[in-house]
Amino acid sequence: MVIHLEPKSLYATRGNDADENVRVRDQLAPETDQYGYRIREQPMGTKRKIKVILMGAGASSLNFFKKAEEDMEELEMVCYEKNRDIGGTWLENRYPGCACDIPSVNYQFSWKIKLWSHYYSYAPEIWEYLKSIERENDFIQKYIKLRHQIEHVEWDDEAGLWRLKVRSLVTDEVFDDSAEFFVNAGGVLNNWKWPDIPGLKTFKGKLMHSAHYEEDYDLANKRVAVIGAGSSGVQIVAAIQRKVHHLYHWVRSPIWITAGFAQTWAGKNGANFRYSEGQLKFLQDNPKKYIEYRKQIENELNQRFKFIMKGSEAARVAREYADTEMRKKLNNNPRLIEKMIPKNFNPGCRRPTPAPGYLEALVSHNTTTFTDPIGCITETGFIDHEGNAHDIDVILCATGFDTSWLPRFSFIANGTDLRTFWGGESGVTSYLSVGIPTFPNTFSFCGPYGPLGHGSFMPLIEQWTRYIFACITKCQVEDIKSLTPRMDAARQFRQHADLFLQRTAWTSPCRSWFKQGKTDGQAAIWPGSRLHFLKIIETPRYEDYEIVYRNENMFAFLGNGFETREFDGRDITNYLGCLDDDGRDVQPDYDKSLLDVLGGFTLDESYVVRGG
């Protein structure tokens, strides 16, 4: 049987049913339910304070700081940098001829445009560009701790924090720090290595590495050996050949010496050039044309992926052009042509480097070019492959970096050290280059399977930053403890990448830092074009993450029923359009006189609708 209760009458006698109605009407809601759940007394959208620790104060961190100040709230940032100043690779690499392989106008942030001196800028000018950003924003004072090295990073699952041990390289003190997020902004090429050549450390002349070069050292009229024919080596040889008394150089494996990026706009025969005063004034006076210039160069950069594809017409054209150019610049030297021009891989297998004059230097009168390994290094020089001794004054090792992706410190999550996780025979498995499967709340600027050979890093850095900010903001607003890339998602991504990459020149048998300097190394590079990558990380795929909330109820962030927009000065009718002349999201200063024009009360009785 169902009993129907009649509502209490509001006209009942005072002191009886009427008082009961008032009591029900004004009764306060319970603070908790029967399970102890409590409403958070704050509007939806409230951001909890979160701390981020970044490793490395190069271009990525500078962009992170700048954009965080503009776009983020309640975010504490600390950056540990091992060097004496900011700038990363552009601070460390100052060898002769060190230049960017990307045209200068496209190797800059969209929010910091400058006039550059050269088409391909040299290291000092690029570093000064980055340093100017730091100076203008006082980032060292605010966020960066120079001469500090991270020695241990471990995830504390109960607290939802990364706990770090950091060493001051000035005082040698080791101290603890912690943060909800850890961001690797250290770059790929930062851990340089000496070559494994017998007797190298016994040499009593001047021994330098390209990543630790003494800028004021004079090579004029010296006998110089340049070991390494990668990006740094070819630039050094091209830059110093005319200055030195005699140059010794080794090219041990085939290599395509191709034109650099965006050759259409370069100097004659792909040469670098210094902008004229007239060109610089034109760019300064015509900002819209400057944007068009940058876009046309970028348009050319974004076409390059087509010739990376094996068997494509673009690959054939690039190969034939490079072959012809190399033969001509090597003066048709049969030994060098036979040893240097690749037969089983196409241009693009290695990232191209602008080094006009390199091939010509190899066949110059004061250069001895070897295509066989060095025998050994002696106190006064070296022994070549035939047993001949050569006395020299300087050895420059342009032998690259450790690109194994393994950190130099213990990096542990859920009992697993990343050095073990990625150090086995199966190689590295990342999540879309930005995350590490099973490692919570950590992101990388260009981790494994990132777009290493796809053009300028600057637009990529800006996109990575937006991606990381989206994830952090979600955690702030929804009170999330951890975001962890799922292992199954990362494995399926790698399965796709590894199969696709077999279509590209990157997996061909050349020695490349993309593949840890091996001909058959793991090609952990993005499986697609630059636009392909920019699109996939435009918006985080949270379905690929394991999400752990700080509250047992994942919807606790809904709060007290209001949204922060209703209190923080933003437009509460933004969904109807924007009235602000500058496009700002602010509550409009409404035109009160509009009421006198469109208010119904201003009309006479003939306009009034009565009775429907």
Side-chain angles (χ1 to χ4, degrees):
M1 182 175 68
V2 179
I3 300 176
H4 297 281
L5 297 177
E6 294 296 326
K8 302 291 185 179
S9 172
L10 294 179
Y11 302 100
T13 305
R14 174 173 290 278
N16 298 312
D17 288 345
D19 284 352
E20 175 65 12
N21 282 325
V22 171
R23 187 190 69 78
V24 171
R25 182 193 66 196
D26 294 339
Q27 184 178 23
L28 296 177
E31 292 187 0
T32 65
D33 65 9
Q34 65 268 37
Y35 304 106
Y37 173 69
R38 182 185 299 270
I39 298 294
R40 296 172 65 185
E41 297 302 333
Q42 60 187 37
M44 184 179 72
T46 301
K47 295 174 181 175
R48 68 182 173 97
K49 189 165 187 176
I50 274 181
K51 181 178 176 181
V52 179
I53 293 176
L54 298 99
M55 180 179 70
S60 298
S61 286
L62 296 178
N63 182 74
F64 193 97
F65 302 143
K66 179 68 174 178
K67 292 294 138 182
E69 289 185 345
E70 295 176 359
D71 302 334
M72 299 293 284
E73 300 171 352
E74 297 297 323
L75 188 66
E76 180 182 354
M77 297 176 288
V78 177
C79 176
Y80 293 109
E81 168 55 57
K82 62 181 172 58
N83 287 322
R84 69 186 187 281
D85 209 334
I86 64 93
T89 190
W90 299 113
L91 173 70
E92 295 177 347
N93 288 274
R94 294 300 179 89
Y95 58 81
C98 181
C100 185
D101 58 3
I102 298 296
S104 309
V105 297
N106 290 70
Y107 196 79
Q108 57 184 337
F109 293 120
S110 62
W111 48 269
K112 178 68 173 176
I113 304 301
K114 68 160 285 188
L115 298 176
W116 295 86
S117 66
H118 288 76
Y119 185 66
Y120 296 115
S121 284
Y122 292 97
E125 185 174 12
I126 299 172
W127 178 81
E128 182 55 43
Y129 169 76
L130 297 175
K131 184 62 179 175
S132 71
I133 292 172
E134 186 281 314
R135 287 195 201 99
E136 290 166 9
N137 296 277
D138 203 18
F139 286 152
I140 290 178
Q141 181 66 30
K142 293 176 183 175
Y143 312 118
I144 302 170
K145 297 184 182 297
L146 299 173
R147 302 291 290 143
H148 283 77
Q149 187 163 291
I150 294 172
E151 295 196 341
H152 180 84
V153 180
E154 187 164 359
W155 175 251
D156 181 341
D157 193 56
E158 183 176 352
L161 294 171
W162 284 104
R163 300 199 182 277
L164 288 78
K165 291 193 178 298
V166 184
R167 182 181 299 276
S168 166
L169 299 179
V170 176
T171 66
D172 206 37
E173 172 196 7
V174 176
F175 60 90
D176 296 330
D177 200 354
S178 62
E180 284 85 355
F181 283 86
F182 175 67
V183 175
N184 180 357
V188 183
L189 305 178
N190 59 39
N191 187 13
W192 55 271
K193 60 182 182 180
W194 292 107
D196 186 15
I197 300 174
L200 180 65
K201 295 302 174 68
T202 68
F203 181 62
K204 293 188 175 180
K206 188 66 174 178
L207 175 64
M208 291 184 284
H209 192 282
S210 58
H212 198 63
Y213 186 81
E214 298 176 23
E215 288 184 83
D216 58 352
Y217 188 81
D218 187 6
L219 294 174
N221 298 315
K222 299 273 197 319
R223 297 164 297 176
V224 181
V226 177
I227 302 172
S231 299
S232 303
V234 300
Q235 289 186 335
I236 291 172
V237 167
I240 71 172
Q241 176 262 317
R242 296 180 183 224
K243 301 175 184 177
V244 302
H245 175 71
H246 198 86
L247 175 65
Y248 298 92
H249 184 53
W250 287 260
V251 184
R252 292 175 50 196
S253 57
I255 173 177
W256 287 111
I257 302 299
T258 60
F261 288 95
Q263 286 298 288
T264 301
W265 299 85
K268 294 177 181 178
N269 298 316
N272 195 5
F273 69 90
R274 180 172 53 83
Y275 285 106
S276 69
E277 290 185 9
Q279 289 174 319
L280 293 175
K281 187 174 188 311
F282 177 84
L283 293 175
Q284 185 173 32
D285 295 345
N286 298 276
K288 190 171 182 180
K289 285 298 180 183
Y290 191 174
I291 294 175
E292 182 179 348
Y293 176 48
R294 292 174 57 223
K295 284 177 71 67
Q296 288 202 46
I297 290 175
E298 194 82 358
N299 185 72
E300 185 172 335
L301 295 177
N302 285 341
Q303 301 288 336
R304 290 180 61 88
F305 184 67
K306 295 172 183 175
F307 86 71
I308 297 297
M309 304 300 290
K310 292 179 182 176
S312 67
E313 177 63 13
R316 182 193 66 78
V317 171
R319 181 178 63 250
E320 291 180 356
Y321 176 79
D323 184 284
T324 301
E325 287 295 296
M326 285 186 68
R327 290 174 185 273
K328 181 173 66 176
K329 292 176 180 179
L330 289 171
N331 286 339
N332 290 307
N333 182 298
R335 180 177 66 90
L336 294 181
I337 286 173
E338 175 61 26
K339 292 286 188 177
M340 288 186 63
I341 296 182
K343 300 178 179 63
N344 59 353
F345 61 86
N346 286 329
C349 187
R350 294 166 57 152
R351 186 178 172 109
T353 300
Y358 172 70
L359 295 173
E360 294 88 340
L362 299 186
V363 293
S364 67
H365 70 282
N366 66 334
T367 301
T368 301
T369 304
F370 298 99
T371 56
D372 293 285
I374 303 173
C376 67
I377 304 295
T378 67
E379 291 185 359
T380 60
F382 66 91
I383 306 295
D384 68 24
H385 62 287
E386 294 179 337
N388 301 312
H390 303 264
D391 288 339
I392 54 176
D393 304 301
V394 181
I395 296 178
L396 291 179
C397 295
T399 45
F401 302 82
D402 177 0
T403 55
S404 65
W405 302 105
L406 304 182
R408 285 174 270 181
F409 50 85
S410 51
F411 186 14
I412 301 169
N414 303 312
T416 299
D417 192 320
L418 186 62
R419 295 174 297 182
T420 302
F421 184 34
W422 279 356
E425 293 183 2
S426 60
V428 299
T429 300
S430 79
Y431 172 71
L432 302 182
S433 85
V434 74
I436 304 170
T438 74
F439 278 58
N441 291 14
T442 184
F443 299 103
S444 298
F445 284 93
C446 201
Y449 287 92
L452 305 170
H454 295 62
S456 174
F457 260 38
M458 296 311 209
L460 302 173
I461 287 172
E462 294 189 41
Q463 189 79 316
W464 272 308
T465 302
R466 286 188 287 267
Y467 181 99
I468 295 169
F469 283 176
C471 292
I472 292 175
T473 300
K474 183 178 178 69
C475 291
Q476 288 181 305
V477 170
E478 298 184 21
D479 204 27
I480 291 171
K481 179 180 179 180
S482 63
L483 286 175
T484 308
R486 298 196 335 257
M487 178 61 85
D488 62 327
R491 282 176 175 156
Q492 290 179 37
F493 162 66
R494 180 176 170 183
Q495 179 185 30
H496 171 83
D498 288 350
L499 180 61
F500 176 86
L501 287 167
Q502 294 178 46
R503 301 182 180 192
T504 70
W506 294 319
T507 53
S508 299
C510 69
R511 292 185 184 277
S512 166
W513 66 264
F514 299 157
K515 300 181 294 184
Q516 306 84 53
K518 304 172 184 176
T519 58
D520 59 350
Q522 180 185 359
I525 193 167
W526 182 255
S529 69
R530 201 145 155 269
L531 296 177
H532 186 260
F533 177 79
L534 289 170
K535 185 63 178 177
I536 194 64
I537 65 163
E538 192 172 65
T539 305
R541 289 171 45 90
Y542 294 115
E543 61 268 35
D544 297 341
Y545 285 84
E546 292 178 1
I547 301 178
V548 177
Y549 292 84
R550 300 202 317 158
N551 195 298
E552 290 183 2
N553 187 322
M554 70 172 68
F555 289 104
F557 73 91
L558 292 177
N560 63 7
F562 291 92
E563 207 271 336
T564 52
R565 176 180 293 275
E566 298 176 70
F567 307 100
D568 62 14
R570 286 180 293 164
D571 186 356
I572 63 172
T573 61
N574 64 307
Y575 47 85
L576 295 180
C578 180
L579 292 179
D580 188 77
D581 291 338
D582 297 322
R584 297 174 302 163
D585 185 5
V586 294
Q587 183 68 5
D589 183 12
Y590 287 118
D591 179 4
K592 294 181 175 57
S593 67
L594 198 60
L595 189 62
D596 295 330
V597 177
L598 296 178
F601 62 86
T602 63
L603 302 174
D604 61 35
E605 289 293 321
S606 66
Y607 290 93
V608 176
V609 178
R610 302 185 186 280

